[in-house]
Amino acid sequence: MQLFYTPDILPNATHYQLSEEESKHSIRVLRLQLKDEVQLVDGKGNLFWAEIIDAHPKRTMLHIKKVQHEYQKRNHYLHIAVAPTKNIERIEWFLEKATELGVDEVSFPITQRSERKEAKVDRLNKIVTSAVKQSLKAYHPLLHEPVSFQQLVTRPFTGQKFIAHCISGEVRTTLQSAANVHGNYVILIGPEGDFTEDEVALAVQNGYQPITLGQSRLRTETAALAACFEINLLNRC
């Protein structure tokens, strides 16, 4: 069944009109017809089942037949803060896979060793939306504009805060042994050259716990996805 991302639909809607772009795609490209059934997600946890009642190529009208609230709501909250990579395609890959696995929020801290100082969030959001539709997710991860590392680590957060780094000689624990089940988490992932000692110290001063993601030296996007995977695995029940 074809799935559409419709962030403006109301939770109690009985009818919904697809945008002109989506209408054209559904009728001209997907060849959907009158009485065909489709699914809609609003990115806020609602999954809708609908039927086409007007197969117009510019304003396709749907009748909402059923809605499920909090569809596949997860038992934890995960915020990954990952420094944008020099090759932005690596961050795009991370966002696609993290959305499929399950992530709630993503930030892009600019660190002292960051090779990229910006990220086009509008484009990245399109990557996430495609992954939401492909993996049938009713929740759309929230993406933030890049901010300085200092701004990010000094923000209040209710839950456990972790910083993953590879500085030798520092005391670190594994993520799975440090994280509580069914919790709220924010995890900092550094750039290709890792965080500086000053950045780690600043994070620790603001309540972040140093962690390791294993003995292998991981790429930035791999480390971010590994953290995402470990948290989802921890909370699988």
Side-chain angles (χ1 to χ4, degrees):
M1 189 180 297
Q2 188 64 41
L3 177 71
F4 294 93
Y5 175 58
T6 54
D8 59 338
I9 190 172
L10 298 176
N12 59 348
T14 59
H15 293 80
Y16 182 79
Q17 181 177 299
L18 293 178
S19 66
E20 183 173 345
E21 181 182 359
E22 289 282 38
S23 294
K24 181 179 180 181
H25 181 69
S26 63
I27 305 305
R28 300 298 192 203
V29 179
L30 299 175
R31 302 294 183 184
L32 296 178
Q33 301 176 2
L34 190 68
K35 295 188 177 181
D36 280 347
E37 294 191 346
V38 298
Q39 290 178 312
L40 314 173
V41 292
D42 63 357
K44 306 175 187 69
N46 298 307
L47 172 64
F48 303 82
W49 285 261
E51 178 184 334
I52 296 177
I53 58 174
D54 184 1
H56 194 287
K58 289 188 177 181
R59 49 179 185 276
T60 300
M61 181 61 70
L62 308 175
H63 167 60
I64 308 300
K65 301 176 69 176
K66 184 174 68 170
V67 58
Q68 182 173 338
H69 303 294
E70 297 187 343
Y71 178 73
Q72 292 186 351
K73 183 177 182 179
R74 296 180 305 127
N75 56 14
H76 60 284
Y77 190 92
L78 176 58
H79 179 179
I80 297 286
V82 55
T85 54
K86 183 177 181 180
N87 181 353
I88 198 62
E89 290 182 358
R90 288 160 54 186
I91 287 296
E92 292 174 359
W93 174 86
F94 158 71
L95 288 172
E96 179 184 74
K97 303 309 175 188
T99 300
E100 293 174 8
L101 284 174
V103 68
D104 299 285
E105 195 172 346
V106 179
S107 294
F108 303 105
I110 305 304
T111 70
Q112 292 183 39
R113 293 173 177 163
S114 289
E115 295 187 76
R116 174 179 287 273
K117 305 296 184 183
E118 51 82 30
K120 296 179 179 178
V121 174
D122 286 345
R123 170 177 167 76
L124 297 178
N125 257 316
K126 292 178 181 178
I127 303 279
V128 170
T129 299
S130 294
V132 163
K133 294 164 67 175
Q134 187 276 328
S135 56
L136 188 54
K137 291 286 192 296
Y139 292 91
H140 193 293
L142 173 64
L143 303 190
H144 296 284
E145 293 288 342
V147 295
S148 71
F149 178 83
Q150 182 175 0
Q151 283 180 289
L152 184 64
V153 299
T154 53
R155 286 177 179 172
F157 178 80
T158 302
Q160 291 185 282
K161 302 188 289 187
F162 302 106
I163 179 169
H165 69 81
C166 301
I167 299 174
S168 60
E170 294 284 339
V171 177
R172 293 168 293 156
T173 185
T174 63
L175 178 57
Q176 286 218 345
S177 64
N180 298 327
V181 178
H182 303 168
N184 295 336
Y185 323 92
V186 59
I187 304 173
L188 301 178
I189 305 294
E192 285 89 338
D194 203 3
F195 294 114
T196 64
E197 292 186 5
D198 287 345
E199 287 171 333
V200 173
L202 178 62
V204 170
Q205 289 171 14
N206 283 274
Y208 283 81
Q209 181 176 354
I211 58 167
T212 176
L213 295 172
Q215 296 181 348
S216 299
R217 179 176 294 179
L218 304 176
R219 285 181 177 272
T220 295
E221 73 278 12
T222 309
L225 191 63
C228 183
F229 175 78
E230 286 195 30
I231 289 297
N232 278 280
L233 186 63
L234 176 69
N235 292 281
R236 65 190 182 279
C237 299

